[in-house]
Amino acid sequence: MTDKTNTPISVVGLGLMGTALARAFLKAGHPTTVWNRTAAKADALVAEGARLAPTIGDALGGVTIVCLTDYSAVRELLGDAGLDGATLVNLTSGDSAQARETAAWAEKHGARYLDGAIMAIPSSIGTDEAVILLSGPLPDFDLGALGTVSHLGEDPGLASLYDVAGLTMMWSVLNAWLQGTAMLKTAGVDAATYAPFARQIAAGVADWLPGYAEQIDKGSFPAEVSALETDARAMAHMVEESEALGVNAELPKLIKAMADRAIASGHGGEQYPVLIREFERPGS
């Protein structure tokens, strides 16, 4: 692996995130080239020591970080730039199918391609809190200037897939918290008062994941803590309480409907992770 401060880096796309990426590389001492369709967006970075590439093709030396609006924009901008021999790290948001298609497209054009996902906000780039996921060929360069970098494997779709799986967790936790907050507000309890209790519950549930993961991977769901049919009775209370309080009950009804289907299929005596079968494709 080359010295992290000697690896030339180019950043294509200078929105809020792209600018944060370029600034982190500059701060770490990388020779940094930038390019953006609107060149004026590079002014501040040039003042900080970046080099402005006159054309996008001129930005393709060294390792090129791409951070654009979508995968179509990546192919549109780079398609005529002369990619033969280039190393691309695409940190544009998208799904796993788009990542794999773009990897094949880049390979056809002679480029070495890694796909990635940024699990962070712009202000955290350059700190350990910023998680950068990569998938594709194992990199022989260091992107540690951006944060905590994790290479997930050779499949170029893995970074995007992890990204979407992480967003699923994020919004599910937030929606569950909002459900509970709405219920407690009917009794005069404000969100700030409920938040520490909710955080404790979320942390406790997170501690269950390794054991639950073991059950899923084995395909065996013994009721070591609670049977699904017992959980379903508590879910019914959640639905009833929401409706009685005049709070939206769509989320608890969805949760209970999935449990009811699993129980009807004969899984009522098994533990909660058996619900993975409600999420998987038939036959998987």
Side-chain angles (χ1 to χ4, degrees):
M1 186 174 288
T2 57
D3 185 330
K4 65 180 182 180
T5 61
N6 289 336
T7 306
I9 298 288
S10 296
V11 178
V12 171
L14 298 177
L16 291 175
M17 185 59 78
T19 297
L21 299 174
R23 186 162 283 128
F25 285 123
L26 282 169
K27 186 176 180 181
H30 289 272
T32 303
T33 297
V34 295
W35 183 90
N36 192 73
R37 196 192 299 267
T38 303
K41 286 193 173 183
D43 289 349
L45 291 167
V46 170
E48 295 170 30
R51 168 183 170 269
L52 177 62
T55 68
I56 192 167
D58 191 52
L60 297 178
V63 176
T64 302
I65 310 298
V66 183
C67 188
L68 299 174
T69 54
D70 54 40
Y71 281 77
S72 294
V74 172
R75 293 192 291 271
E76 178 186 343
L77 281 174
L78 298 181
D80 297 324
L83 296 179
D84 191 30
T87 296
L88 302 179
V89 181
N90 186 13
L91 299 182
T92 300
S93 295
D95 60 41
S96 59
Q98 292 172 327
R100 294 182 183 115
E101 290 166 2
T102 304
W105 171 86
E107 182 179 356
K108 183 178 179 181
H109 283 74
R112 185 180 183 211
Y113 180 91
L114 284 91
D115 205 83
I118 303 171
M119 310 296 288
I121 57 176
S123 61
S124 70
I125 296 297
T127 73
D128 290 343
E129 294 179 3
V131 174
I132 311 298
L133 305 178
L134 295 178
S135 57
L138 189 67
D140 58 0
F141 46 86
D142 189 354
L143 298 182
L146 300 181
T148 302
V149 179
S150 179
H151 182 258
L152 302 171
E154 295 288 323
D155 176 357
L158 278 175
S160 290
L161 200 53
Y162 264 76
D163 182 27
V164 175
L167 292 174
T168 300
M169 283 287 298
M170 179 183 73
W171 283 317
S172 295
V173 170
L174 287 174
N175 283 340
W177 175 67
L178 291 171
Q179 177 77 34
T181 298
M183 295 170 73
L184 284 166
K185 281 184 69 177
T186 66
V189 178
D190 60 23
T193 300
Y194 173 49
F197 175 77
R199 184 176 183 180
Q200 184 179 18
I201 293 294
V205 171
D207 287 341
W208 301 347
L209 298 185
Y212 279 11
E214 185 176 347
Q215 288 195 343
I216 290 171
D217 290 341
K218 289 181 177 178
S220 177
F221 308 94
E224 298 167 348
V225 177
S226 177
L228 184 60
E229 58 193 7
T230 301
D231 294 337
R233 288 194 286 272
M235 294 173 191
H237 299 326
M238 189 168 58
V239 173
E240 293 161 3
E241 184 75 86
S242 296
E243 291 179 333
L245 296 173
V247 170
N248 189 311
E250 290 176 84
L251 180 59
K253 283 181 177 179
L254 173 61
I255 294 169
K256 187 174 184 300
M258 297 181 78
D260 287 343
R261 286 197 299 269
I263 292 168
S265 297
H267 300 294
E270 296 176 271
Q271 194 156 270
Y272 194 84
V274 74
L275 282 180
I276 187 66
R277 293 172 177 167
E278 291 295 312
F279 291 92
E280 293 174 333
R281 290 181 298 182
S284 63

